[in-house]
Amino acid sequence: MIDHISIPVSDLLRSAAFWEGVLAPLGLTRLVERERTVGFGKRYPEFWVNLRENLAPAPPDTGAHVCLRAPDRAAVDAFHSAAVALGGRSDGAPGPRQASMTAYYGAFIRDPDGNKVEAVTFPRSERQ
Protein backbone atom coordinates (compact mmCIF):
# COMPACT_ATOMS: atom_id res chain seq x y z
CA MET A 1 0.00 0.00 0.00
CA ILE A 2 2.75 2.50 0.82
CA ASP A 3 5.12 3.15 -2.07
CA HIS A 4 7.81 5.18 -0.30
CA ILE A 5 8.48 7.48 2.63
CA SER A 6 10.66 10.53 3.11
CA ILE A 7 12.07 12.20 6.18
CA PRO A 8 13.48 15.71 6.61
CA VAL A 9 17.14 16.19 7.50
CA SER A 10 19.21 19.26 8.31
CA ASP A 11 22.52 18.02 6.84
CA LEU A 12 22.17 15.90 3.71
CA LEU A 13 25.76 14.62 3.58
CA ARG A 14 25.76 13.57 7.25
CA SER A 15 22.32 11.99 7.00
CA ALA A 16 23.05 10.15 3.75
CA ALA A 17 26.15 8.58 5.34
CA PHE A 18 24.19 7.76 8.52
CA TRP A 19 21.30 6.13 6.68
CA GLU A 20 23.57 4.27 4.28
CA GLY A 21 25.10 2.43 7.24
CA VAL A 22 21.85 1.98 9.13
CA LEU A 23 19.81 0.71 6.18
CA ALA A 24 22.46 -1.70 4.87
CA PRO A 25 21.48 -4.52 7.31
CA LEU A 26 17.93 -4.26 5.95
CA GLY A 27 19.12 -4.67 2.35
CA LEU A 28 18.57 -1.06 1.28
CA THR A 29 21.31 0.77 -0.62
CA ARG A 30 21.79 4.28 -1.95
CA LEU A 31 20.11 4.36 -5.37
CA VAL A 32 19.51 8.05 -6.15
CA GLU A 33 21.54 11.14 -5.29
CA ARG A 34 20.33 14.62 -6.11
CA GLU A 35 21.25 18.06 -4.84
CA ARG A 36 18.69 18.07 -2.01
CA THR A 37 17.65 14.43 -1.66
CA VAL A 38 19.01 10.88 -1.47
CA GLY A 39 16.92 7.78 -2.07
CA PHE A 40 17.57 4.29 -0.68
CA GLY A 41 15.94 1.02 -1.64
CA LYS A 42 16.31 -2.50 -2.93
CA ARG A 43 15.25 -2.00 -6.56
CA TYR A 44 13.83 1.52 -6.48
CA PRO A 45 13.97 4.30 -3.87
CA GLU A 46 11.62 3.47 -1.00
CA PHE A 47 13.25 5.59 1.73
CA TRP A 48 14.21 9.21 1.02
CA VAL A 49 16.09 11.79 3.07
CA ASN A 50 15.28 15.36 2.03
CA LEU A 51 17.31 18.42 2.94
CA ARG A 52 15.44 21.07 4.93
CA GLU A 53 17.69 23.93 6.02
CA ASN A 54 17.09 25.26 9.53
CA LEU A 55 15.22 22.11 10.48
CA ALA A 56 14.57 21.90 14.20
CA PRO A 57 15.12 18.43 15.69
CA ALA A 58 11.97 16.33 15.87
CA PRO A 59 10.46 16.51 19.36
CA PRO A 60 10.65 13.30 21.40
CA ASP A 61 6.87 13.17 21.71
CA THR A 62 6.06 13.66 18.04
CA GLY A 63 4.03 10.45 17.98
CA ALA A 64 5.22 9.62 14.45
CA HIS A 65 7.62 6.94 13.37
CA VAL A 66 8.48 4.87 10.33
CA CYS A 67 8.76 1.09 10.58
CA LEU A 68 10.93 -0.88 8.16
CA ARG A 69 10.83 -4.65 7.67
CA ALA A 70 13.98 -6.61 8.50
CA PRO A 71 14.67 -10.13 7.24
CA ASP A 72 15.58 -11.50 10.68
CA ARG A 73 16.63 -10.67 14.25
CA ALA A 74 20.28 -10.26 13.27
CA ALA A 75 19.32 -7.50 10.83
CA VAL A 76 17.29 -5.71 13.54
CA ASP A 77 20.27 -5.93 15.89
CA ALA A 78 22.67 -4.66 13.19
CA PHE A 79 20.29 -1.79 12.29
CA HIS A 80 20.22 -0.67 15.93
CA SER A 81 23.97 -1.08 16.45
CA ALA A 82 24.81 0.84 13.27
CA ALA A 83 22.51 3.71 14.24
CA VAL A 84 24.12 4.12 17.66
CA ALA A 85 27.65 3.79 16.25
CA LEU A 86 26.95 6.38 13.53
CA GLY A 87 25.64 9.14 15.79
CA GLY A 88 22.00 8.22 16.29
CA ARG A 89 20.52 7.11 19.56
CA SER A 90 18.53 4.19 20.83
CA ASP A 91 14.84 4.76 21.39
CA GLY A 92 14.19 1.12 22.24
CA ALA A 93 16.81 -1.64 22.27
CA PRO A 94 16.29 -4.73 20.12
CA GLY A 95 13.98 -7.24 21.70
CA PRO A 96 10.65 -9.04 21.60
CA ARG A 97 7.53 -6.90 21.68
CA GLN A 98 3.81 -7.48 21.66
CA ALA A 99 1.73 -5.59 19.10
CA SER A 100 -2.05 -5.52 19.06
CA MET A 101 -2.18 -8.44 16.61
CA THR A 102 1.05 -10.41 17.02
CA ALA A 103 4.40 -10.71 18.72
CA TYR A 104 7.45 -9.37 16.91
CA TYR A 105 11.12 -8.51 17.36
CA GLY A 106 12.05 -4.87 16.85
CA ALA A 107 14.24 -1.91 17.72
CA PHE A 108 13.69 1.85 17.63
CA ILE A 109 16.30 4.49 16.83
CA ARG A 110 16.45 8.27 16.43
CA ASP A 111 18.57 9.72 13.65
CA PRO A 112 20.68 12.87 14.23
CA ASP A 113 17.60 15.01 13.46
CA GLY A 114 15.39 13.13 15.92
CA ASN A 115 13.40 11.17 13.31
CA LYS A 116 12.15 7.94 14.90
CA VAL A 117 12.55 4.77 12.83
CA GLU A 118 11.87 1.17 13.80
CA ALA A 119 13.15 -2.08 12.30
CA VAL A 120 10.94 -5.12 12.77
CA THR A 121 10.87 -8.80 11.97
CA PHE A 122 8.09 -11.27 12.66
CA PRO A 123 9.05 -14.69 14.04
CA ARG A 124 8.64 -17.60 11.68
CA SER A 125 8.89 -20.09 14.53
CA GLU A 126 9.21 -20.18 18.29
CA ARG A 127 13.01 -20.53 17.96
CA GLN A 128 13.57 -17.25 16.08
Side-chain angles (χ1 to χ4, degrees):
M1 178 173 84
I2 296 172
D3 182 72
H4 65 276
I5 60 100
S6 61
I7 60 171
V9 299
S10 60
D11 181 328
L12 189 61
L13 292 177
R14 175 191 70 188
S15 292
F18 174 84
W19 285 109
E20 187 166 40
V22 172
L23 296 173
L26 306 183
L28 281 75
T29 61
R30 191 185 301 212
L31 298 177
V32 176
E33 293 182 64
R34 297 185 184 135
E35 185 179 343
R36 299 179 54 84
T37 190
V38 175
F40 298 87
K42 294 177 181 173
R43 285 176 252 157
Y44 68 94
E46 304 165 59
F47 185 92
W48 292 88
V49 293
N50 298 318
L51 179 61
R52 300 293 183 259
E53 288 95 355
N54 304 315
L55 177 71
D61 62 348
T62 180
H65 82 279
V66 173
C67 184
L68 304 173
R69 186 70 59 97
D72 53 34
R73 287 181 178 201
V76 172
D77 294 344
F79 162 90
H80 186 269
S81 293
V84 173
L86 293 167
R89 68 181 194 279
S90 175
D91 207 42
R97 291 176 165 70
Q98 181 63 48
S100 59
M101 302 285 290
T102 187
Y104 69 97
Y105 187 87
F108 293 87
I109 61 100
R110 296 276 182 162
D111 75 356
D113 290 295
N115 294 302
K116 186 175 185 178
V117 178
E118 177 185 16
V120 63
T121 189
F122 293 90
R124 290 185 186 93
S125 71
E126 290 299 316
R127 291 177 292 151
Q128 185 179 18

